Amino acid sequence: MSYLTKLKGSPASIPLRPSFKEISFISLGVFLAASVIGFLAYFTNEPIIMGSFGASIFVLFVLPDSPFAQPRNVIVGHFVTTLVGLIFYHLVSSDWWSMALALAFAIALMQFLRIPHPPAGSNPFIVFLLGANWDYLWMPTLIGSVLIVMVAMLYNNLSKNRSYPKYW
């Protein structure tokens, strides 16, 4: 198959639309998870939210059976990628090339440790864009990711059709 032929895509059809009941269930879970971290950020005046959490919430509620949605992937994936971003930002350079290296290293490390979580891939960029300090590793990264996983565990298991997590 030629390179240009590959760009046309395969004849596969798009996935089916979930039922209205499933969409409603997912949407309520998303709202609850976002509300927990949003309320706590507001109430405590601490930055418990980071941009990649929106995508993490999507994965946890839309694709809870995915390996990417499992607690170890979410929590450790966010932690590792933020740590890598902080190391490169503070100890290597705050230049664009260091940001690119941080992202490449973070993604490689997630693969090596078997904790891939695609939303966490944006964490090195977030660290560089914010000029984040070392405490960003704990708040919002660790505390926020743990809270999101806790909400997903409590909520997803309310459905008789779901069982979360699949593994730790």
Side-chain angles (χ1 to χ4, degrees):
M1 179 182 295
S2 76
Y3 182 78
L4 292 177
T5 303
K6 291 179 184 180
L7 296 177
K8 291 187 340 185
S10 68
S13 59
I14 64 172
L16 296 174
R17 178 181 297 116
S19 69
F20 181 75
K21 182 179 178 182
E22 183 70 8
I23 292 171
S24 298
F25 182 81
I26 290 167
S27 296
L28 181 57
V30 167
F31 172 77
L32 291 172
S35 292
V36 165
I37 60 173
F39 173 76
L40 288 173
Y42 173 78
F43 184 75
T44 64
N45 204 27
E46 292 287 339
I48 300 175
I49 302 170
M50 75 175 153
S52 56
F53 285 167
S56 292
I57 290 170
F58 176 94
V59 171
L60 287 166
F61 290 91
V62 175
L63 305 165
D65 295 338
S66 164
F68 302 137
Q70 302 315 303
R72 62 180 270 131
N73 296 59
V74 178
I75 296 167
V76 183
H78 275 295
F79 188 85
V80 164
T81 57
T82 299
L83 178 61
V84 168
L86 289 165
I87 288 169
F88 275 80
Y89 181 78
H90 290 286
L91 303 178
V92 178
S93 172
S94 60
D95 289 326
W96 64 268
W97 57 267
S98 181
M99 182 177 68
L101 280 174
L103 180 61
F105 191 82
I107 289 173
L109 195 54
M110 279 196 293
Q111 291 297 302
F112 179 77
L113 296 173
R114 298 183 309 157
I115 52 159
H117 182 62
S122 64
N123 291 359
F125 282 174
I126 293 169
V127 166
F128 274 76
L129 290 172
L130 293 177
N133 291 321
W134 293 98
D135 58 348
Y136 198 77
L137 188 58
W138 309 109
M139 179 83 81
T141 304
L142 185 60
I143 292 173
S145 60
V146 167
L147 287 171
I148 291 168
V149 166
M150 288 173 57
V151 173
M153 287 173 53
L154 294 171
Y155 185 77
N156 278 325
N157 288 308
L158 292 175
S159 170
K160 65 181 179 190
N161 300 324
R162 291 178 178 230
S163 175
Y164 179 81
K166 297 299 179 200
Y167 56 85
W168 287 89

